[in-house]
Amino acid sequence: PGSPEPCNMPEKILNGYRVEEIKNEMYDIVEQARYRCNSGYMMSETWKGDIGWCRSDRTFELPYCVDPKDWYTIEFELVPGTSKMDNAGRAKARHNYADGSSGDWYAGCDDHFNGPAAGAICRSMGFRHGKQVTADKKMKPIEDIPFGMTNVFCYHDDTLMMSPSCNGDEYGQMGWPLCAPEEQIAIQCFDDMWKVDVGFKMVQRSGKMFCPTQVMKKEKSTDCDSALIPLL
């Protein structure tokens, strides 16, 4: 395959402007850019801070700048209950504002929730990836917390929830169905997409020698009888 095409990063963003182009050293092309806000505005950052980039499908992920009275970030926490799943739980959120104040905690309804949105929430908490999970009996709904958002989803799995490519509708708007506590969003966060370690040992079955494999996936061991490799 040939080298990728230059990104042609836009010179301007909402209430801001480009200050630096960042080149891919391997191909000597522009693939990212750094941005600043016009005077009097505050930046809503991407996962990479003030850096914007373009994807292979030619869509952009860009920071944008807003009036301080309209600026906020979304803080997330996981509530695992008594579940023993690593870095997993029901997600609760609240808004933090430019004046240092914070809103009340709320839960999200899982209607139309998807994997990229789980990733966006997890990246907000310092992880690289995330996925939606079916809450087990030990991951009980968070008590005494209202629903605040519904129809939470993202189109790309490389963003934060503040991205324009993510959606969240205020819960309780006319036309959206009501949600039961069991429908609180449940996710699991992680950094590595796969962790696989394969080991071999010789065994004899029905007079033939085999190498059964033992696969370590996400640090959980599984003996794979279907993966028997005969020695001819």
Side-chain angles (χ1 to χ4, degrees), residues 144-162:
D144 301 322
I145 189 171
F147 281 107
M149 301 295 288
T150 188
N151 299 328
V152 179
F153 59 86
C154 296
Y155 289 105
H156 301 282
D157 197 6
D158 59 3
T159 67
L160 301 177
M161 281 305 305
M162 295 300 296

Side-chain angles (χ1 to χ4, degrees), residues 66-123:
V66 297
D67 190 291
K69 65 180 177 60
D70 298 320
W71 184 94
Y72 66 93
T73 61
I74 306 178
E75 177 185 359
F76 294 94
E77 285 189 7
L78 294 181
V79 181
T82 58
S83 174
K84 295 184 179 179
M85 292 179 64
D86 292 336
N87 303 315
R90 305 275 187 175
K92 66 176 185 178
R94 67 177 178 180
H95 291 187
N96 296 324
Y97 301 99
D99 63 2
S101 64
S102 298
D104 295 329
W105 289 103
Y106 62 87
C109 176
D110 64 5
D111 286 355
H112 301 118
F113 188 70
N114 65 358
I121 293 173
C122 290
R123 279 184 282 276

Side-chain angles (χ1 to χ4, degrees), residues 128-190:
R128 295 183 61 84
H129 308 287
K131 65 178 182 179
Q132 183 179 14
V133 298
T134 300
D136 57 29
K137 293 181 179 180
K138 295 183 178 180
M139 194 184 293
K140 296 181 179 180
I142 307 170
E143 296 182 352
D144 301 322
I145 189 171
F147 281 107
M149 301 295 288
T150 188
N151 299 328
V152 179
F153 59 86
C154 296
Y155 289 105
H156 301 282
D157 197 6
D158 59 3
T159 67
L160 301 177
M161 281 305 305
M162 295 300 296
S163 169
S165 67
C166 292
N167 180 80
D169 294 322
E170 184 178 351
Y171 182 77
Q173 291 183 353
M174 185 177 298
W176 300 127
L178 298 179
C179 298
E182 291 74 16
E183 295 178 272
Q184 292 176 0
I185 288 171
I187 61 174
Q188 183 175 27
C189 301
F190 49 95

Side-chain angles (χ1 to χ4, degrees), residues 4 12 37 49 57 64 95 119 122 131 164 176 180 183 200 202 207 212 219 221 229:
K12 294 184 178 181
C37 292
D57 63 1
Y64 58 93
H95 291 187
C122 290
K131 65 178 182 179
W176 300 127
E183 295 178 272
F200 297 91
M202 300 293 295
E219 301 179 352
S221 174
I229 304 173

